Amino acid sequence: MTSAVTKVILHAEDEPAHATIIRLALQRNVGDVQLRQVEDGKAALDYLYRRGFYEDSAVSLRPDLILLDLHMPRISGLEVLSVVKKDPELQTIPVVVLTTSDLIKDRLAADTCGVDGYLVKPDDFDQFVHMMSELCAAWL
Amino acid sequence: VTNMRLKTWILVPMTIAIGIGLFFWGAFYFQQEKEASRQATTRLVSQGQDYYSSLLQQQVRLLQAHAEYLIRNQELIGAWHNRDRDALLELTVPLASEFQQKYKITHFYLVEPDRTVFLRPYNPSRTGGVISRQTMLQAQASGVAVHGLELGSLATLTLRYVTPWYDQDELLGFIELGMETEHILQEMAKMLHVDLISVIRKEFIRRESFEAGTERFGFKGNWDDYPDMVIAHQTISDLPDALHDWLVTGHDAFFGPNNIYAVHRGRHLWGGIIHKPDIAGEDVADLIIIHDATAQMMALRHSMVTNFGVATMLLGSLLLLLYSVTRRAEKSIETAHKLLEVKNLEMEQLVYIVSHDLKSPLVTVKTFAGMLRQDIQDGNQQQISEDLKYIDSSTDKMQQLLDALLKYSRIGRVDTLAQTLSADHQVQNCLATLAGILQQHQVQVSTGKLPQQLHGDPLHFGQIWQNLIENAVKYRGDQPQPHIEIGATQEGQDVVFYVRDNGMGIASEHNERIFNLFSQLNPGSDGSGLGLALVKKIVTIYQGRIWVESDGKSKGSCFMFTLPGALIKGDKAI
């Protein structure tokens, strides 16, 4: 299903501006990556299980990395994380949380659910770019 | 809620301490008083001893006066020289009867120098016999007058005065006067207001003497009553058991400073001892003083009961005071504790909101500002307006969030604004305010009976219904005939208000979350995410709770809440 060369990243983010930033940051530095962006946790799960809007498995490619915002409507990033990490099919996919929060509470919760990485959003585009390249280097 | 248990920690030890204190104080007080009573008895006994000695001395002087009168009487000397029995009888018999009647001098002897009795004027028919008593022997040996107590042949203690009788230097013989001492005891008992028991030590008398004396003087005791003692006289009708035991076994204790204390037939008795040594210094007889301290002990008991009662009342009221103080303190601590918990929760939420909701637009603004700078340098016009659009919408969002936060934080109990209005009135006001929206979305509203009087800030109550109704309108979904039902029901003790709609409904897993600040279940829906959090905060202020029931998606939802702190009494039930 997945292309031997092109890696797929699933990004769940409810804030359109942040989604844009991530998209731009990836475009700037990392070449051969397919970015799939969804607007919340519910959509992320629909994508992973190919339900509803994401039925088409040719489009909804299995991601090689999942980027999750924590605070999202309907289903939060933590909930998605725990579903993914409990599913034997999906648990091998690395999941990295990308959030504005640097609260210990959130870090611990994410750790408990088995997160692979925890990143706090910077407030500078260059740092975003740097962060994305490091992220892809580490996990893809 | 942690239970502070101030009451337990303060009142229980206090009560125990006070109880123990009262007990020891009572015991101490009782011992003090008993000791005082014992000392009073000791004083009484020593007073009795002195009194007894002085009475005895008085009698000695009486005997001495009469004896000296006799030895100087020339007529008597003349008659004695001639051993003229008739003349002597004529002179002495009237005197003897006067002695007996006026002075209780019962013994009168005219004795030869060899101690042979020549005449007994009180009993002239009896003649002869030699006197060998200590008093007589000492007078003979010393040649001066001698006096002292002696146990007689009838087991009585007799006071005797023996004087040698001289004419010039010639020893004519001896004159002896004597009296029984029983009447001294009677007088003492009367003077000291005590009972007396006179005992004789058996080693100094013979059984026959005692029995003869019993016949003559009516002694109260029996020879076999006690091993070492026998009772001669007693002014008390029956003896306390403690005294019996004392006489049987421990009479040696008589001769110490000991007093005995006994309760006998409801009387509180103290006992003490006066010794009665005879002329030879032997303790031949003792006098037991029985002091009746019943009135004293009763007064003591009475004052103890009174004092104890007063002390108990005072300490009891102290405990009551403490109880009410600690209860109040406990309540205020509990209230403060609850308030603190609520505030803590709010604080936690605020930290969460700052770290998520407020930081998020900030990240956007700063990042796009950086990109804007780059785009301006590059002259990329299209990208510039794109950047600005993001910056604008993010600052708008921040503005909205900050406004909502301020609005939320301003809600608090403001008692000065408190009014009492009916729930119905509040709901009607809300519906009037929301008439435009309701009509715009063609929402039907039906209201049940709401007669409850609510006391509090009217703006608070208005906001509850307004937010719930707005919520129902907002989440009506694709319902073609949206309908809202407003009412109240009684559930057990509580009046439960409800706002029911037939809109989108809520999946049960979100039932709790929807009341948190800024938690919107639907992406893209407008509003600040503040409404339900606001309602929850208001309801909490009035000690109520809020929850939602829904049969699931598209099945409508029913928001229910209670306001126990706002309900006027009597309206707690419908």
Side-chain angles (χ1 to χ4, degrees), chain B residues 155-175:
Chain B
T156 58
L157 211 51
T158 312
L159 179 64
R160 294 178 191 275
Y161 188 93
V162 182
T163 178
W165 195 4
Y166 295 100
D167 184 22
Q168 269 80 43
D169 287 330
E170 179 199 355
L171 180 68
L172 301 176
F174 301 94
I175 288 179

Side-chain angles (χ1 to χ4, degrees), chain B residues 69 87 101 170 264 283 381 427 460 468 494 519 529 572:
Chain B
Y69 163 76
Q101 279 162 21
E170 179 199 355
H264 185 65
D283 259 324
Q381 282 301 325
V427 170
H460 284 173
L468 290 178
D494 302 322
S519 79
K572 300 247 164 159

Side-chain angles (χ1 to χ4, degrees), chain B residues 107-227:
Chain B
H107 303 266
F108 186 3
Y109 307 89
L110 299 176
V111 186
E112 298 283 2
D114 64 355
R115 295 187 276 114
T116 311
V117 178
F118 179 76
L119 185 70
R120 293 178 174 83
Y122 67 97
N123 187 8
S125 56
R126 198 177 147 205
T127 55
V130 176
I131 298 177
S132 314
R133 286 185 289 262
Q134 277 292 324
T135 41
M136 183 59 77
L137 292 174
Q138 282 186 21
Q140 188 186 29
S142 65
V144 295
V146 170
H147 63 84
L149 283 171
E150 280 173 310
L151 266 179
S153 57
L154 295 176
T156 58
L157 211 51
T158 312
L159 179 64
R160 294 178 191 275
Y161 188 93
V162 182
T163 178
W165 195 4
Y166 295 100
D167 184 22
Q168 269 80 43
D169 287 330
E170 179 199 355
L171 180 68
L172 301 176
F174 301 94
I175 288 179
E176 175 173 340
L177 294 177
M179 58 163 58
E180 300 302 334
T181 52
E182 168 64 3
H183 71 279
I184 292 179
L185 302 187
Q186 302 290 355
E187 199 175 329
M188 260 184 75
K190 219 182 291 169
M191 281 299 295
L192 297 176
H193 298 290
V194 292
D195 282 305
L196 295 174
I197 297 165
S198 157
V199 297
I200 302 167
R201 304 186 71 175
K202 279 182 179 178
E203 60 186 288
F204 296 103
I205 50 168
R206 284 171 297 117
R207 187 190 187 105
E208 297 76 48
S209 305
F210 183 77
E211 277 164 3
T214 303
E215 227 164 84
R216 171 88 180 272
F217 301 108
F219 291 153
K220 296 293 196 302
N222 291 311
W223 184 260
D224 298 319
D225 283 349
Y226 306 107

Side-chain angles (χ1 to χ4, degrees), chain A residues 12-130:
Chain A
E13 171 62 66
D14 64 317
E15 179 59 50
H18 292 187
T20 306
I21 294 169
I22 298 298
R23 180 162 45 81
L24 292 175
L26 274 171
Q27 278 173 4
R28 174 75 60 93
N29 220 9
V30 186
D32 209 10
V33 166
Q34 287 197 48
L35 181 67
R36 296 282 191 273
Q37 292 190 306
V38 292
E39 83 266 17
D40 62 21
K42 173 82 164 57
L45 288 178
D46 283 350
Y47 178 97
L48 289 168
Y49 290 102
R50 293 176 182 121
R51 291 185 298 230
F53 184 75
Y54 303 98
E55 245 171 7
D56 188 353
S57 61
V59 180
S60 308
L61 299 171
R62 179 185 163 94
D64 299 289
L65 174 66
I66 302 174
L67 274 180
L68 286 175
D69 186 19
L70 279 184
H71 194 52
M72 294 185 288
R74 296 204 287 194
I75 292 175
S76 74
L78 273 184
E79 287 168 282
V80 175
L81 173 63
S82 67
V83 168
V84 169
K85 287 302 173 187
K86 277 175 193 157
D87 187 324
E89 283 288 310
L90 300 174
Q91 64 188 186
T92 52
I93 304 173
V95 180
V96 173
V97 161
L98 183 60
T99 177
T100 52
S101 166
D102 57 357
L103 291 181
I104 296 290
K105 203 173 101 179
D106 288 328
R107 283 178 187 273
L108 285 177
D111 263 356
T112 313
C113 291
V115 78
D116 297 286
Y118 190 101
L119 296 174
V120 177
K121 289 174 188 167
D123 53 10
D124 178 80
F125 183 67
D126 288 338
Q127 287 180 40
F128 266 111
V129 173
H130 181 69

